Amino acid sequence: MKEKLEALKENALKRIEEAKELDVLNDIKVSFLGKKGELTAILKGMKDVSKEDRPAVGQLVNDTRAAIEAALEKETSKLQKKLREEKLKREVIDVTLPGEKVKMGHRHPNQIALEALEEVFVGMGYEVVEGPEVEYDKYNFEMLNIPANHPAKDEQDTFYINSEILLRTQTSPVQARVMEQGKMPIRMIAPGRVFRSNEVDATHSPSFHQVEGLVVDKGITFSDLKGTLQQFAQEFFGKDTKVKFRPHHFPFTEPSAEVDITCFKCGGTGCRMCKGSGWIEILGCGMVHPNVLKNCGIDPDEYSGFAFGIGLERVTLLKYEIDDMRLLYENDTRFLKQF
Ligand code: DAH
């Protein structure tokens, strides 16, 4: 028994010393001290040892175990230390190298213009609401007094998901969605992305943005509309800006108008910016058509309202004197960071 233990200890210590990896040390531990290990097997043979010899042999087994454990521990910490040192050597950090510059993002000119615009209307008590970009034909056309086969549908050709669902051509459907809820009075703007099957050029894109405006209450008149848009134009483009209403037609407003502002570049005398006319068109507007109110469950004899639709890119291009809409979408940061 004694020789057996001696041989086992020697063997174990030798293998521990030769081990070069933590996994190997663990295997050694298992194979000697584990449940099915060699030392454990010897322990099981104790029953064959005579009673008198048992304490001495027991002591020997314990000593052997302690020696193996101590050797394992020593070798493990030695190996761990070595591995750590190697790792540190591999991962040297040169703290004197200059840091990598973090490139700060920048708000898009469209977004800057939108926030300025929202500020004006929120200041007048408007709420900012959103509607879905994938919209029902019903909201985009039908409820806005544009029935099937109406020529206005041709001008706003878009991308259809199926015969009832499409990518909205305008933000006007948000008007219907808000009115339908029936919470009076309404004073809201609805900015968002719209889609049309447009060819790309300096002033057109298949996807662009609009800001819809809607006010519905008792006794709202065209003069409220004029005053509101005059105020907006002055706050947004400068206090000397004048507005001009030109009669126009939109199916969802009656009467309807297009609004021009005096050219903020030349002040109205005529320049390249306004193509010599002194005026620049910025939006469409009008009094909400009684049919639209009715379609949305609002009594046109009790309530009236006005609406307007601003092309966001249009005012962004004007405000920053950018001459090509495509620049807004190319994501060239050298361009975008100028604003
Ligand atoms: N939705 C119209 C368009 O895309 C713009 C517009 C005109 C909106 C008049 C309005 C409005 O709310 O009253 O051409």
Side-chain angles (χ1 to χ4, degrees):
M1 187 62 112
K2 197 173 164 198
E3 293 86 70
K4 228 173 161 185
L5 279 168
E6 215 40 74
L8 182 142
K9 185 168 122 187
E10 223 165 88
N11 181 19
L13 295 185
K14 186 160 160 267
R15 279 179 59 191
I16 291 169
E17 204 181 327
E18 284 167 3
K20 298 226 158 44
E21 278 170 54
L22 290 171
D23 281 353
V24 175
L25 281 176
N26 198 43
D27 289 346
I28 295 171
K29 186 175 177 182
V30 172
S31 75
F32 285 98
L33 309 178
K35 257 193 201 153
K36 290 181 183 148
E38 289 180 38
L39 193 64
T40 321
I42 290 178
L43 264 178
K44 280 179 190 153
M46 283 286 277
K47 60 182 186 307
D48 303 327
V49 176
S50 67
K51 229 181 188 164
E52 312 79 83
D53 288 346
R54 239 179 240 171
V57 175
Q59 185 62 46
L60 204 55
V61 170
N62 282 346
D63 289 351
T64 307
R65 184 180 191 89
I68 296 175
E69 274 173 352
L72 275 171
E73 206 166 293
K74 194 172 144 215
E75 204 58 34
T76 305
S77 67
K78 213 164 102 189
L79 250 179
Q80 277 170 340
K81 195 169 160 219
K82 194 171 138 225
L83 287 175
R84 196 163 47 239
E85 272 162 13
E86 277 172 9
K87 191 163 175 230
L88 282 175
K89 231 178 259 167
R90 244 184 296 124
E91 297 175 359
V92 236
I93 296 168
D94 183 351
V95 290
T96 63
L97 276 176
E100 238 177 76
K101 230 182 178 172
V102 179
K103 287 202 190 98
M104 280 295 278
H106 182 287
R107 283 181 310 159
H108 192 276
N110 256 348
Q111 184 64 22
I112 302 172
L114 176 60
E115 282 171 22
L117 188 150
E118 283 180 351
E119 203 165 299
V120 174
F121 283 101
V122 168
M124 292 196 252
Y126 285 57
E127 199 184 339
V128 181
V129 302
E130 272 181 31
E133 291 172 5
V134 181
E135 184 56 284
Y136 289 104
D137 181 287
K138 180 179 121 183
Y139 288 106
N140 196 83
F141 294 123
E142 236 21 61
M143 290 176 78
L144 298 174
N145 207 27
I146 310 172
N149 303 322
H150 192 287
K153 267 183 118 160
D154 229 24
E155 283 163 28
Q156 298 196 4
D157 191 19
T158 182
F159 307 91
Y160 283 81
I161 310 293
N162 58 40
S163 61
E164 284 160 33
I165 301 172
L166 43 78
L167 299 189
R168 66 177 177 191
T169 61
Q170 46 187 357
T171 43
S172 306
V174 188
Q175 286 189 35
R177 284 182 173 273
V178 171
M179 280 191 273
E180 198 181 49
Q181 290 170 9
K183 279 187 219 125
M184 295 294 163
I186 296 166
R187 213 179 287 127
M188 66 95 174
I189 53 170
R193 189 186 285 274
V194 300
F195 307 84
R196 291 190 198 177
S197 79
N198 288 340
E199 296 285 342
V200 175
D201 65 24
T203 52
H204 292 88
S205 159
S207 163
F208 54 103
H209 299 77
Q210 291 185 336
V211 182
E212 195 74 15
L214 175 70
V215 170
V216 181
D217 201 351
K218 288 178 180 160
I220 298 291
T221 66
F222 202 92
S223 57
D224 295 317
L225 172 60
K226 287 186 84 170
T228 302
L229 293 179
Q230 169 78 53
Q231 181 69 19
F232 159 67
Q234 285 177 339
E235 282 194 44
F236 192 81
F237 291 105
K239 67 175 181 0
D240 295 328
T241 311
K242 292 190 183 68
V243 294
K244 176 168 81 176
F245 286 69
R246 272 184 294 104
H248 198 77
H249 171 264
F250 296 105
F252 34 86
T253 42
E254 180 58 35
S256 306
E258 275 187 337
V259 171
D260 299 341
I261 56 166
T262 40
C263 178
F264 46 83
K265 191 86 198 267
C266 62
T269 52
C271 67
R272 258 184 54 192
M273 184 104 186
C274 55
K275 298 196 186 92
S277 76
W279 295 94
I280 296 174
E281 181 199 323
I282 57 159
L283 58 85
C285 65
M287 299 305 291
V288 181
H289 197 293
N291 286 353
V292 175
L293 292 172
K294 268 188 253 169
N295 290 344
C296 299
I298 296 171
D299 181 357
D301 292 328
E302 195 180 349
Y303 287 98
S304 57
F306 65 74
F308 54 88
I310 305 171
L312 182 60
E313 277 78 359
R314 189 160 174 80
V315 293
T316 304
L317 298 181
L318 289 173
K319 200 170 162 77
Y320 299 113
E321 297 180 31
I322 303 166
D323 60 7
D324 193 324
M325 188 171 177
R326 284 167 288 200
L327 289 164
L328 293 177
Y329 305 124
E330 280 165 358
N331 273 344
D332 185 336
T333 49
R334 289 168 306 177
F335 167 75
L336 293 175
K337 72 179 176 202
Q338 296 172 47
F339 303 96

